[in-house]
Amino acid sequence: MRDFYSLYAGHLAAICSRYITDEDDQKDVLQDTLVDIITHINRFEYRGPGSLRAWSSRIAVNESLRWLRTKKQRELLPMERDIADEPEEDDPPISDIPPEAIHEMVSRLPTGYRTVFNLYVFEHQSHQDIARLLGIKENSSASQLSRAKNLLAKMITEYHKKRLPQ
């Protein structure tokens, strides 16, 4: 258990931090993740190098989503009302932005947007799967992703403006 913790705790904490913004809540979710992994290790099937990391990562995502559903349901309510989506912003360059700054920008997204964004971008989930996981409609998932990307593009543009010499 000690070896597992030293190898994977940082990675699992990073996953939890993508979904949960409060540090104390992140620690709680990480602890729940580790307990879940330890108590269900008999369900793990070795499928080659990286399979333990992938299996434990999936548990961290599921624990984060479970926490969001139980503690923050109000913020994950489906966006069913018809609001015109803004046109997609062009992707601003991010190669000169430190990863910590990008992470901070993503953490500032509203919970629903951030959750859909993370599931789509990092977990490679389809809108159909995201809709099923979050109990929303597919078009709500697509709309929230679009809005998340637009907000991030604006944050990145602002970041660049602040860094340019005046």
Side-chain angles (χ1 to χ4, degrees):
M1 288 190 294
R2 188 173 309 150
D3 290 343
F4 177 85
Y5 185 85
S6 65
L7 287 171
Y8 294 105
H11 170 71
L12 298 173
I15 291 172
C16 295
S17 73
R18 282 191 225 140
Y19 296 91
I20 314 296
T21 56
D22 180 78
E23 283 188 43
D24 290 333
D25 293 335
Q26 289 171 15
K27 290 175 186 175
D28 289 344
V29 173
L30 176 61
Q31 179 177 338
D32 291 345
T33 298
L34 293 169
V35 168
D36 201 23
I37 289 168
I38 291 166
T39 59
H40 295 101
I41 194 69
N42 61 329
R43 295 183 187 169
F44 170 68
E45 293 180 31
Y46 181 79
R47 297 181 180 176
S51 60
L52 180 59
R53 180 181 172 114
W55 180 76
S56 58
S57 296
R58 185 80 240 145
I59 292 173
V61 170
N62 289 338
E63 284 296 329
S64 297
L65 294 177
R66 184 176 299 119
W67 185 89
L68 286 171
R69 277 193 296 274
T70 58
K71 302 290 184 191
K72 299 287 187 180
Q73 187 63 39
R74 295 180 310 279
E75 296 178 44
L76 280 174
L77 288 175
M79 296 175 12
E80 303 303 336
R81 60 189 191 277
D82 290 326
I83 300 173
D85 282 330
E86 297 176 25
E88 292 259 337
E89 299 272 333
D90 289 334
D91 291 342
I94 62 168
S95 60
D96 61 334
I97 302 176
E100 301 80 31
I102 298 288
H103 178 76
E104 190 273 329
M105 290 176 204
V106 171
S107 73
R108 290 190 349 234
L109 291 171
T111 303
Y113 294 4
R114 183 178 63 250
T115 303
V116 170
F117 179 84
N118 284 322
L119 288 169
Y120 189 84
V121 172
F122 295 107
E123 310 306 328
H124 309 287
Q125 297 287 324
S126 68
H127 288 299
Q128 181 179 17
D129 291 337
I130 294 169
R132 182 183 44 76
L133 283 168
L134 301 181
I136 61 177
K137 293 182 179 179
E138 270 185 68
N139 60 353
S140 292
S141 173
S143 178
Q144 288 190 27
L145 176 64
S146 175
R147 292 173 185 178
K149 288 166 66 176
N150 281 341
L151 279 173
L152 281 172
K154 289 176 183 172
M155 287 182 215
I156 291 167
T157 299
E158 285 301 312
Y159 179 92
H160 284 122
K161 284 181 184 175
K162 289 178 183 177
R163 301 297 181 269
L164 288 176
Q166 299 297 326

